[in-house]
Amino acid sequence: MLYSDKVMDHFQHPRNLGKMEDADGIGEVGNAKCGDIMKIYIKVEDDIITDVSFNTFGCGSAIASSSMATEMIRGKPISEALALTNKAVAEALDGLPAHKMHCSVLAEEAVRAAVENYYESQRRL
């Protein structure tokens, strides 16, 4: 089988799906080669990610990676979200096929971009 049960579950039943209107940070990344575009929204209180959601246009692995990444950072300090690696996302999904590992990389990059966007918005206040 190409995909683990966890990948299929997160693809068919994505967690935290949808745009967050009042996000404190938004990270958007994309891979022109495969066409996957990932957007992660975070809400932050006292350096804790209190809410998180995503919108992903892409393959099942990209959707599953986004879904898993949001689950992994919800309720965590920003420092832990920044430490999230694509390897950790892939392992939490019980693995991804080698040619789909870029999807977990996008999830890592989108989380990092959302946190960076949050920090930028805080500096403007």
Side-chain angles (χ1 to χ4, degrees), residues 39-113:
K39 209 171 204 177
I40 290 194
Y41 306 85
I42 58 172
K43 196 97 181 114
V44 181
E45 276 176 50
D46 299 324
D47 258 7
I48 303 292
I49 296 174
T50 56
D51 198 12
V52 59
S53 66
F54 78 94
N55 274 332
T56 294
F57 176 82
C59 66
S61 294
I63 292 166
S65 293
S66 304
S67 175
M68 181 56 82
T70 62
E71 289 282 281
M72 293 172 79
I73 66 168
R74 178 189 294 278
K76 299 284 193 304
I78 286 178
S79 58
E80 280 189 41
L82 283 172
L84 182 73
T85 64
N86 72 297
K87 192 172 179 216
V89 172
E91 285 173 2
L93 288 167
D94 292 336
L96 286 169
H99 67 284
K100 291 294 182 180
M101 281 302 286
H102 66 274
C103 295
S104 61
V105 172
L106 284 178
E108 174 188 330
E109 291 172 351
V111 167
R112 197 159 285 143

